[in-house]
Amino acid sequence: MERKVLGRSRVGIAGVGGLGSHVAVALVRAGVGGLVLADFDSVEESNLERQCYFRDQVGRFKVEALSETLVRINPVVEIRCFPVRVTADNLVELFDGVDVMVEAFDRADQKSLLVSTFRRRFPAIPLVAASGVAGIGPANRIITRRAVENLYICGDGKSGVGAHTPLQAPRVGIVAHHQALAVLRLLHGLDPCDADNGDGCAIEN
Amino acid sequence: MRLKINGKERQYPEPISLEELLQQLGIERQGLVVELNREILPLERLAEIELKDNDALELIQFVGGG
């Protein structure tokens, strides 16, 4: 994709749990000017072990709690918040106009629904998804790969959440930052996985 | 029938539907995204797809957690 001006770019994030909340924070810190956040969930005490929320935010919609945190980092960031469940029907309305999209859901069936629907409705917009984030497997197994045209997947591709592989803050955090970096590279007009195409040292804002 | 699945050529003696192929390969439908000849298939249509000679498939399996 073409290079964008970071401060004027807009990134959509579907799901603001362990992945999406950290992707949002990283992107705002990096200078992305606009975010569209969608998640119907509210903050629970059990989320605090890996999601970017605080004890005094328990009970509030995650998208609202997260926007407050983001505005504390950058008061001029433009955030659109939707405390709704993302479906095949409302996806276009929610995320129309984003430069890059992030899939950050928890359940496998929500991931495939978002990815297949978004890819069909917005074939020209890059989508950065995640798969294989659970457990405490080595960090070096986590990669960013291009699956098909305009679809990048971060994670080890295998470690689903289960009884022996709960979600752990460090590994979910690594994948979230793989996603955020992939978004940043896309906004700079760079391929997220191409090691030969720019090491990112020459980034200008 | 010849199919290209995730970049690898495979030969099938009989015509096969997508559903049968997924069963043979032991691929779960949960979390699956399918691209057929560079077009992503709608999830609700996966069961109806008949495959043709030289079709190219990308099968992308998502696992839960986030």
Side-chain angles (χ1 to χ4, degrees):
Chain A
M1 72 183 256
E2 250 173 66
R3 183 177 181 155
K4 307 278 175 188
V5 176
L6 270 195
R8 268 180 289 168
S9 63
R10 184 179 296 155
V11 176
I13 304 179
V16 290
L19 291 169
S21 61
H22 290 291
V23 172
V25 167
L27 291 178
V28 168
R29 289 196 196 278
V32 168
L35 293 178
V36 183
L37 310 175
D39 194 319
F40 67 92
D41 230 349
S42 301
V43 180
E44 289 175 39
E45 211 170 302
S46 64
N47 300 150
L48 303 182
E49 63 184 25
R50 68 177 191 283
Q51 306 186 15
C52 193
Y53 298 102
F54 302 93
R55 200 155 286 279
D56 59 2
Q57 294 176 324
V58 169
R60 307 203 29 218
F61 279 121
K62 285 182 181 176
V63 287
E64 287 171 6
L66 182 59
S67 320
E68 277 181 17
T69 303
L70 298 173
V71 168
R72 288 176 69 189
I73 296 166
N74 177 3
V76 300
V77 67
E78 213 181 280
I79 300 168
R80 292 191 198 162
C81 275
F82 298 102
V84 298
R85 185 184 288 275
V86 179
T87 66
D89 296 322
N90 67 10
L91 179 130
V92 171
E93 200 186 324
L94 295 177
F95 295 109
D96 195 26
V98 300
D99 297 303
V100 180
M101 182 69 198
V102 175
E103 177 284 310
F105 284 141
D106 185 33
R107 281 172 28 197
D109 59 337
Q110 291 178 313
K111 287 173 178 290
S112 55
L113 179 71
L114 187 285
V115 169
S116 56
T117 312
F118 191 88
R119 279 271 49 82
R120 289 177 58 78
R121 304 288 174 92
F122 298 102
I125 312 277
L127 169 60
V128 180
S131 182
V133 311
I136 54 167
N140 288 350
R141 289 199 193 131
I142 289 166
I143 58 163
T144 297
R145 72 182 182 97
R146 180 185 167 283
V148 294
E149 180 83 34
N150 272 334
L151 172 61
Y152 301 90
I153 304 180
C154 304
D156 68 15
K158 292 195 180 101
S159 307
V161 65
H164 301 291
T165 48
L167 293 165
Q168 301 280 349
R171 214 153 188 266
V172 176
I174 290 166
V175 177
H177 285 84
H178 262 254
Q179 289 187 286
L181 182 57
V183 171
L184 202 59
R185 284 184 62 85
L186 286 161
L187 293 173
H188 277 93
L190 300 168
D191 182 335
C193 337
D194 184 358
D196 300 325
N197 184 14
D199 57 7
C201 293
I203 278 175
E204 299 156 29
N205 271 310
Chain B
M1 183 166 79
R2 207 164 43 175
L3 297 175
K4 199 173 197 179
I5 303 169
N6 291 1
K8 280 193 194 131
E9 296 259 357
R10 283 167 182 259
Q11 199 77 40
Y12 291 86
E14 305 278 329
I16 189 169
S17 71
L18 177 60
E19 189 85 344
E20 289 164 339
L21 178 74
L22 295 178
Q23 222 157 45
Q24 262 194 32
L25 296 174
I27 291 178
E28 249 187 79
R29 291 280 294 277
Q30 171 108 329
L32 184 68
V33 173
V34 181
E35 190 195 61
L36 174 60
N37 301 329
R38 298 179 67 90
E39 195 196 331
I40 300 273
L41 298 174
L43 293 186
E44 66 275 11
R45 278 193 47 217
L46 295 191
E48 328 160 356
I49 302 290
E50 294 295 329
L51 298 172
K52 298 185 305 295
D53 199 27
N54 290 320
D55 272 348
L57 282 160
E58 290 290 330
L59 306 175
I60 306 158
Q61 182 75 63
F62 284 88
V63 296

